[in-house]
Amino acid sequence: MNKIRVRFAPSPTGPLHIGGVRTALYNYLFAKKNNGTFILRIEDTDQTRYVPGAEEYIKKSLAWLGLNPEEGPDQGGEYGPYRQSERKELYGQYAKKLVDMGYAYYAFDTPDELDKWRKKMTAAGVHSPKYDHSTRMSMNNSLVLGKEKALQMIKEGVPFVVRLKVPENETIVFDDIVRGNVSFNSNELDDKVILKADGLPTYHLANIVDDYFMKITHVIRGEEWLSSTAHHVLLYRYLCWEDSMPRFAHLPLLLKPVGKGKLSKRDGAKFGFPVFPLSWESDNPEDNFIGFKEFGFLPEATINFLALLGWNPGNDEEMFELEELIKSFSLDKIVKSGARFNIDKAKWFNQQYLLKKSDEEFAELIKPWIEKEGFNFVEEDLVKIAGLMKPRIELLPEIIEKGKFFFTDDFDYDEKIVRKKWKSPNKDHVIELKGKLANLENFIKKEIENIIKGYIEDNNLSFGNIFPLLRVAVTGTTKGPDLFDTMEILGKNKVLLRFDAAFDRFESIVK
Ligand code: GLU
């Protein structure tokens, strides 16, 4: 059997949507599982939709996730170039060949004429007018004008496109790995433009020519390309490449978290979560997007989450690192129905991966967030803080909100608790306790704990009356990691200063 070769073939028309990342991932997994080759091909023939920076973004996203292509624009390879704009010469000859064989034709209808024609047809009650077998003979093309006349016009410089001549009344069938037998009636298909007026191919032609010459064995891509596949099958047939036609696997749609329809780039802003792997900045603020990375996701969690959006291992197992995914992955376990995007599940995965990190590793992960906030810290303390905070964090930036008190004295107090509890005798006990802590020579967890617990017990006090006040005084909140550990990390001086500041503030709160 031929060596398996798959390609991820994005168009650099903007940032890569998370659905595109899933396509890349499935291609990668399938290649790795089968000792095949994972190829990156940049499909940039549509100059009007080209967005600067998009190709770089795609590469960076793949690199962040560790989905490294073996062949591609940067890696090179035997079947290059891997950017369609650099393969221009190749496509024109196949468009011409198709015309010569009678499977395609030259069309001279200008965009303006087509527009008018569509309007006219719609006004006459045609729902969505198509340039197809039923209309092509009333248009301005070489089928009507005759080839000689058409060639003459081309020679004179009249702009033209090449259209595929889709046969009438034929059932086009192909076998999709995910959906089984898929069939289209050719009467539903339009005569797609395969070569544009600028001499560049459209996606359909370029894609087929490249898949053929790059010896692609499997095309794994989003469901939105399913109907184009009928055109592609025709192209393979007409070019006599049927024997090398790749197998197809169309991946299910990614659905909105709630309601109907597919997940769109605007859903990110709407629901407050990322739908792109990395942040993207554009001149138009509406097109600025936050990425999974910048939202605080780990690449391994993002991969695990995406892998299960449309594929399942056939059992209840959920945790899969890349290596395990490679072992378990198979195309026949891809589901047909749309996969609902669930950000809570994504966060859950992230937490699972964070919990696997050592304290040292976790400290390195939170460090950039803390530095970005402008907070100072002692390295050694950071590892301890990491250990305490790790179980409390789903997304990395939460370290700021949930662990602020480790890095700054500038935090708010939970006023509700203060109002409820800052009164005698509670407050006298807390003040007394502060004095005891001040006398403590060895300010370590065990000793701090002995003093506080001992005092509460010796005086027959209720924990619930004293402890929340201590916590709020030192950290501002009643939620947080072990208070004795926290105090040890903060150190005696800081804790005492915090008590003083808090006592003043508490007084004014209860006034
Ligand atoms: N350039 C197409 C895209 O942007 C590729 C589709 C395919 O994989 O054939 O998705």
Side-chain angles (χ1 to χ4, degrees), residues 7 9-11 43 203 207 221 225:
R7 80 308 190 267
S11 300
E43 302 212 323
Y203 154 74
N207 193 268
R221 64 182 169 201
W225 301 106

Side-chain angles (χ1 to χ4, degrees), residues 174-188:
F174 59 91
D175 178 37
D176 188 271
I177 298 172
V178 178
R179 312 178 159 262
N181 256 349
V182 181
S183 63
F184 285 92
N185 182 324
S186 66
N187 290 353
E188 290 162 16

Side-chain angles (χ1 to χ4, degrees), residues 44 61 68 80 92 141 155 206-207 210 215 219 259 358 372 378 380 399 453 461 490:
D44 58 348
S61 301
N68 299 316
N141 57 47
K155 226 169 156 191
N207 193 268
D210 285 349
K215 294 204 162 53
V219 166
S358 69
K372 200 168 103 198
V378 178
E380 204 185 310
I399 186 64
K453 283 192 174 159
L461 305 174
L490 289 170

Side-chain angles (χ1 to χ4, degrees), residues 7-13 23 41 43 84 203 207 211 219-222 224-225 232:
R7 80 308 190 267
F8 175 51
S11 300
T13 54
T23 301
R41 182 172 77 216
E43 302 212 323
Q84 288 185 329
Y203 154 74
N207 193 268
D211 282 350
V219 166
I220 305 168
R221 64 182 169 201
E224 63 272 29
W225 301 106
H232 300 175

